[in-house]
Amino acid sequence: MRNGHADDIATLVEPGRVHRRVYTDPDLFELEMERIFGRAWLYVGHSSQVKEPGDYITTDLGRQPVIMVRHRDGSIKVLLNRCSHRGAKVVNDRKGHAQRLTCCYHGWSFDTDGKLATVPVPEGCGAGFDRDALGLARAPRVGVYRGFVFASLADKGPSFEDHIGPMQGNIDDLVDRAPDGELALDAGMHRYVYNGNWKLQVENVLDSYHVPFGHASTVNKQGVQFARREGDQKGATVVEAEKKQTAASWKDRKSFTVGNGHGWTSNTTLDDGKRSSPAFDEYKRVLAEKVGAERAAEILTPRLHNSLIYPNMSIMGLNIHVRVIKPIAVDRTEVNIFPIRLVGAPAAMNFGNIRLLNVTHSAASFVQTDDLESFVRAQKGLQSRMSDWVDISRGLGAEEPDRATNATRGLATHEMVVRAQYKAWVGYMREAA
Amino acid sequence: MALAARELLTASGLDRAAFEEFLIHEARLLDERRFRDWMELFADDGTYWVPATPDQNSPFEEASLFYDDRELMKTRIERLEHPRIHVQTPPSRTAHIVGNLVVEETDEAKGEYVVGSTFIMVEYRDDAQRLFAGRQRHRLRRHGDTFRIVQKRVDLINCDGAFEAMAVPI
């Protein structure tokens, strides 16, 4: 892969398999940075992280360092974190507050909309010095849906609505659980890294096939996982204890795809109605008070387990969090996981959710650690040149339309969602930026 | 501070060596993968906390690397004993060293003591070696002629960094 011709890209993805080079080829990774991360709508952050004018966070979109900052007029700006003078990263902390963003090197300072504000020793600037052209570069397009901020680094391409539209219901599903109708991502973050390609984590978030074996160590002798939600007395039944087989309820789980690489899995196995704790009962009462009993019952009926907004963001509805998958190199990936506070819910309920997330998704968790091991071993195995193809054919041809959600439906233990991701991948990759 | 603590300790008949011996014993149980014995060092209301930010105030309002009560500790250890814990195939080998011990607080009425120390843990697994270091604070409660841990808080110097999978307690 030297030039990324459309024909070369197309040979890497077949209906039921992908070539190992999509995980191991550094040239393909460079092309992904340009053609996917250089133009797709990417999740940047949540509006609750920048509540007041001057509040900012920093992150990376692909390999582009960016600042997400609240401007004086209340709008959220996504600025490239690179001084327009000599190129130094301007903001060096992960979050903070500032009236102006000032570069450490020569002291150029920028307003929170990116405009160049002051330059030390201005008399040194020549006659042609164009202050207006020397602001911090801005992401050409920014879109916000219910507090979730996305940006595209390309000025053209599918609109925000086209990209995110099919997933708005998934965002609603989560946000509506907050009695006040808003979320707060203000409870810190989990950060983990692994020596493997970014797509290994992306493929994993909607993979229900791996759970009975990959997470066997989290399943007790009765075949039940530990409780993963505030108020649950026990977790989901994953294995039929006597036969030591994947439980029927697990096999029946569904997954859905809606184009653009997006998808989700349904949540069909958790015993609802058996969920109770003082905090959870109080939450149910508050929610019903705010939105009415009927709507509260609807909101509390589990529908979505995990959603993927392609290419690199996921929302988990079970132990609620936002996940951002950050490619660093072809074989190195960082993942950031943000606990979610449901605004208006009892503090004890939010505390419970934050605590449970430690044991499911911290770098030291019971669940995520076995996934990380699988990703690392996949990257090692994929070095083999004796076998070039990765099989993603489970359920190929078994997909069916789902009229209720206007999506395509398959079993969650199939690999339909992975095939959908590669369809989107080819779509981005075969077109020159 | 250190002097005052020593005076108090002398008054209660406890010296620094008793605490030091306890912490060395605890570290040894971890290094020998005797996780159940390690858990038994904790009081029934004991917690093990590894914050994810420096100076973290609360294990409830923010993400932590670990925040286990006895029940979660038990689940964690059952998993560590499970034959299919992939992230421990092969298992980690660790070596702890604990030092710079200071008795920071004593409460004779409750029989509770807070002991601060500095630790280094080297972990080797699957061809890779890595280093963990930081400060730890043990809140200990007198229990017969030994102690039970009311809380062990481990403040890693890189607590807000990005970690590869961590399977064993620090």
Side-chain angles (χ1 to χ4, degrees):
Chain A
M1 184 59 47
R2 289 289 171 260
N3 44 22
H5 282 314
D7 292 347
D8 297 338
I9 297 291
T11 61
L12 298 169
V13 178
E14 294 185 2
R17 60 183 199 169
V18 293
H19 197 281
R20 70 178 185 91
R21 269 168 48 209
V22 307
Y23 304 96
T24 58
D25 186 336
D27 293 330
L28 270 177
F29 180 81
E30 290 301 316
L31 213 57
E32 287 178 334
M33 292 302 101
E34 188 185 309
R35 295 186 177 180
I36 302 178
F37 289 85
R39 57 184 172 189
W41 285 99
L42 303 173
Y43 174 73
V44 188
H46 191 267
S47 60
S48 62
Q49 295 172 290
V50 290
K51 276 180 158 161
E52 304 296 327
D55 287 354
Y56 61 80
I57 60 161
T58 58
T59 182
D60 297 279
L61 301 180
R63 283 180 306 198
Q64 310 297 310
V66 297
I67 311 159
M68 182 178 99
V69 58
R70 177 84 65 174
H71 189 50
R72 276 187 303 281
D73 63 4
S75 65
I76 293 172
K77 308 292 183 196
V78 179
L79 310 171
L80 274 291
N81 194 359
R82 178 249 191 244
C83 185
S84 51
H85 176 215
R86 299 266 285 272
K89 194 177 169 190
V90 176
V91 179
N92 205 34
D93 37 17
R94 223 173 282 149
K95 60 177 182 179
H97 176 91
Q99 297 300 312
R100 281 187 182 158
L101 310 170
T102 304
C103 179
C104 70
Y105 196 179
H106 302 89
W108 284 30
S109 78
F110 302 88
D111 203 347
T112 47
D113 61 356
K115 284 191 185 123
L116 180 58
T118 63
V119 175
V121 203
E123 55 272 34
C125 301
F129 187 79
D130 184 357
R131 199 173 272 267
D132 293 337
L134 285 168
L136 296 177
R138 278 194 208 174
R141 295 184 297 161
V142 176
V144 185
Y145 183 71
R146 297 196 78 176
F148 291 84
V149 182
F150 290 78
S152 165
L153 295 175
D155 49 19
K156 288 199 286 279
S159 69
F160 179 58
E161 290 68 28
D162 284 347
H163 182 73
I164 221 74
M167 295 303 284
Q168 283 181 350
N170 299 53
I171 293 176
D172 293 339
D173 188 80
L174 179 64
V175 182
D176 289 347
R177 292 195 211 176
D180 290 355
E182 63 177 300
L183 308 177
L185 273 66
D186 58 0
M189 71 196 282
H190 295 287
R191 299 178 69 197
Y192 57 81
V193 284
Y194 62 91
N195 288 328
N197 189 266
W198 63 277
K199 296 187 290 299
L200 291 164
Q201 169 71 95
V202 174
E203 292 161 15
N204 170 265
V205 294
L206 299 182
D207 181 337
S208 291
Y209 184 34
H210 79 289
V211 177
F213 198 88
H215 296 301
S217 67
T218 66
V219 177
N220 67 18
K221 291 193 175 79
Q222 287 72 47
V224 177
Q225 236 185 11
F226 62 91
R228 291 173 62 167
R229 294 187 307 191
E230 164 58 39
D232 271 330
Q233 308 308 308
K234 58 177 188 144
T237 303
V238 179
V239 177
E240 284 173 32
E242 282 173 21
K243 297 185 204 155
K244 296 195 172 167
Q245 288 174 348
T246 300
S249 58
W250 203 267
K251 288 184 199 162
D252 289 344
R253 288 166 71 110
K254 300 288 193 297
S255 60
F256 300 83
T257 56
V258 282
N260 299 343
H262 308 321
W264 67 88
T265 54
S266 64
N267 190 359
T268 55
T269 56
L270 283 164
D271 287 333
D272 220 34
K274 290 186 183 170
R275 210 176 155 186
S276 175
S277 72
F280 187 71
D281 297 345
E282 170 64 6
Y283 162 68
K284 282 199 287 196
R285 194 191 62 73
V286 172
L287 186 67
E289 204 176 271
K290 290 259 182 177
V291 302
E294 201 180 320
R295 177 69 188 130
E298 210 175 275
I299 290 168
L300 290 170
T301 304
R303 283 173 296 157
L304 309 176
H305 175 75
N306 212 358
S307 299
L308 173 73
I309 299 182
Y310 197 77
N312 70 329
M313 184 260 206
S314 128
I315 297 172
M316 196 166 193
L318 174 60
N319 27 354
I320 53 174
H321 67 259
V322 165
R323 188 179 320 197
V324 186
I325 296 139
K326 295 176 161 179
I328 296 171
V330 69
D331 56 358
R332 183 86 171 160
T333 305
E334 175 174 336
V335 180
N336 296 158
I337 292 200
F338 299 87
I340 292 169
R341 214 163 46 79
L342 301 174
V343 179
M349 154 104 177
N350 285 319
F351 292 170
N353 283 333
I354 292 165
R355 272 198 72 184
L356 281 174
L357 195 60
N358 298 335
V359 296
T360 58
H361 289 90
S362 87
S365 61
F366 305 166
V367 176
Q368 193 58 52
T369 43
D370 274 332
D371 288 324
L372 292 176
E373 180 71 8
S374 296
F375 305 161
V376 169
R377 291 201 210 171
Q379 195 71 26
K380 285 180 180 170
L382 288 165
Q383 301 305 312
S384 166
R385 286 164 183 261
M386 300 301 286
S387 170
D388 272 335
W389 294 90
V390 172
D391 187 278
I392 53 166
S393 67
R394 286 178 62 85
L396 183 62
E399 302 89 346
E400 53 191 10
D402 186 78
R403 287 202 191 88
T405 55
N406 203 20
T408 303
R409 184 178 66 212
L411 289 178
T413 54
H414 286 174
E415 283 155 343
M416 175 187 74
V417 290
V418 181
R419 292 190 291 275
Q421 288 161 23
Y422 278 100
K423 190 177 171 201
W425 186 87
V426 170
Y428 283 107
M429 291 288 282
R430 62 185 301 163
E431 269 181 64
Chain B
M1 168 75 197
L3 257 183
R6 191 169 301 146
E7 280 158 19
L8 277 169
L9 284 173
T10 312
S12 68
L14 282 170
D15 62 13
R16 194 171 163 280
F19 296 109
E20 193 164 29
E21 199 177 312
F22 182 81
L23 294 196
I24 290 170
H25 174 64
E26 190 225 335
R28 191 167 180 146
L29 291 179
L30 287 171
D31 289 342
E32 291 175 355
R33 295 181 69 88
R34 290 164 61 190
F35 297 118
R36 277 184 192 266
D37 294 337
W38 175 72
M39 179 173 74
E40 292 305 324
L41 296 182
F42 285 79
D44 290 341
D45 58 345
T47 52
Y48 171 65
W49 184 21
V50 185
T53 53
D55 307 316
Q56 189 171 325
N57 285 322
S58 160
F60 304 109
E61 293 177 22
E62 263 187 75
S64 299
L65 287 157
F66 295 78
Y67 182 69
D68 290 0
D69 53 20
R70 281 289 297 255
E71 197 187 326
L72 279 178
M73 251 180 254
K74 188 167 163 283
T75 310
R76 187 181 295 279
I77 289 163
E78 280 168 0
R79 179 170 173 265
L80 282 165
E81 292 168 344
H82 196 285
R84 270 197 252 142
I85 175 167
H86 310 301
V87 72
Q88 285 288 275
T89 314
S92 300
R93 295 173 208 151
T94 63
H96 282 77
I97 186 150
V98 178
N100 302 3
L101 189 145
V102 174
V103 181
E104 295 177 355
E105 290 172 33
T106 63
D107 182 339
E108 282 302 333
K110 287 168 84 178
E112 289 193 5
Y113 313 90
V114 175
V115 183
S117 58
T118 306
F119 72 93
I120 294 172
M121 179 181 97
V122 184
E123 182 197 33
Y124 175 79
R125 177 181 177 258
D126 209 9
D127 282 339
Q129 186 162 297
R130 59 179 171 167
L131 202 57
F132 294 92
R135 301 278 305 276
Q136 54 183 8
R137 288 180 99 217
H138 286 74
R139 177 173 286 277
L140 301 175
R141 187 181 293 149
R142 255 190 134 147
H143 182 81
D145 56 359
T146 179
F147 304 105
R148 285 285 174 267
I149 303 171
V150 180
Q151 182 168 75
K152 175 180 178 180
R153 172 181 172 141
V154 179
D155 283 287
L156 289 165
I157 55 172
N158 58 339
C159 62
D160 52 356
F163 291 91
E164 294 187 4
M166 297 158 77
V168 294
I170 295 158

